[in-house]
């Protein structure tokens, strides 16, 4: 895929970081399903780690500037989390080659979702070191991990079929192109 096409897809994903949360929040589903994570993960999986990391930084910052969602103070821990999402799933998609697109997608998504949550938790803990509020592993595990389970399930259900649909429609190239066999 050309750099121009990757840049366009990245720009669309950054724009979706603004639009999707607004749609989900209007249905009171925003906090539970983390809609901003979807386009960032999509960008990393489709365009690679460079673009995924850029989308993970630019998406929440742009959304915060245009809509105050997320609030600017939350960017302190959301940006590291989302940047790690885009970076990790892009890197893993580059490195993992099982021969099956579905397996590659899940083997890239699951560690990225966990590492992103860990990065967000570390950033949040560092933030709370400088405030009067306390922060512990129990708060992180209950709020960030357990509270994020619906969003993680959504990401694992939606993203692989979406990427395979984009591949079948030839919007993005096939990961494992089928080789045409010729008669001997």
């Amino acid at each position: 895929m050309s750099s121009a096409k990757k840049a366009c897809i990245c720009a669309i994903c950054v724009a979706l970081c603004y639009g999707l949360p607004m749609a989900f929040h209007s249905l009171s589903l925003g906090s539970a399903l983390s809609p901003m994570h979807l386009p960032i993960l999509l960008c990393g999986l489709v365009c690679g780690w460079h673009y995924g990391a850029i989308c993970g930084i630019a998406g929440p910052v742009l959304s915060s500037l245009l809509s105050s969602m997320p609030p600017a103070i939350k960017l302190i821990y959301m940006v590291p989390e989302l940047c790690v999402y885009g970076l990790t799933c892009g890197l893993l998609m580059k490195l993992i080659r099982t021969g099956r697109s579905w397996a590659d997608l899940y083997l890239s998504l699951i560690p990225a979702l966990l590492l992103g949550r860990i990065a967000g938790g570390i950033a949040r803990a560092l933030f709370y070191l400088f405030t009067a509020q306390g922060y512990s592993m129990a708060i992180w595990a209950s709020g960030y991990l357990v509270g994020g389970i619906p969003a993680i399930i959504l990401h694992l259900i939606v993203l692989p079929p979406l990427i395979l649909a984009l591949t079948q429609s030839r919007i993005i190239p096939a990961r494992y192109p089928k080789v045409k066999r010729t008669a001997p």
Side-chain angles (χ1 to χ4, degrees):
M1 194 167 19
S2 71
S3 295
K5 189 169 186 177
K6 288 180 183 180
C8 288
I9 292 171
C10 182
I12 291 168
C13 289
V14 169
L16 285 171
C17 287
Y18 169 70
L20 274 179
M22 291 180 73
F24 275 68
H25 281 287
S26 70
L27 300 171
S28 298
L29 297 171
S31 297
L33 298 180
S34 303
M36 189 178 293
H37 301 185
L38 285 167
I40 293 165
L41 291 163
L42 177 68
C43 184
L45 292 168
V46 170
C47 300
W49 68 273
H50 301 92
Y51 293 96
I54 290 168
C55 187
I57 296 167
V61 170
L62 178 71
S63 181
S64 181
L65 289 172
L66 295 176
S67 69
S68 298
M69 288 187 332
I73 195 75
K74 286 188 174 185
L75 291 176
I76 293 169
Y77 47 87
M78 279 187 74
V79 168
E81 175 186 1
L82 298 175
C83 181
V84 168
Y85 280 161
L87 182 122
T88 305
C89 64
L91 270 176
L92 291 175
M93 276 300 280
K94 182 177 180 178
L95 298 173
I96 295 172
R97 309 266 318 162
T98 64
R100 303 215 182 268
S101 295
W102 282 95
D104 293 355
L105 288 167
Y106 282 109
L107 290 172
S108 298
L109 269 173
I110 293 169
L113 290 168
L114 294 174
L115 289 173
R117 293 278 172 179
I118 291 168
I122 291 169
R124 189 176 271 197
L126 290 173
F127 169 72
Y128 282 114
L129 279 176
F130 300 103
T131 67
Q133 296 175 328
Y135 193 74
S136 67
M137 284 295 286
I139 293 171
W140 173 74
S142 66
Y144 230 54
L145 285 181
V146 175
I149 288 175
I152 291 169
I153 292 169
L154 174 73
H155 302 150
L156 293 173
I157 290 172
V158 169
L159 286 168
L162 175 61
I163 290 173
L164 294 174
L166 291 171
T167 302
Q168 288 176 345
S169 64
R170 295 192 176 116
I171 293 173
I172 61 174
R175 185 160 174 83
Y176 301 107
K178 294 183 181 181
V179 179
K180 293 184 181 181
R181 297 182 186 176
T182 58

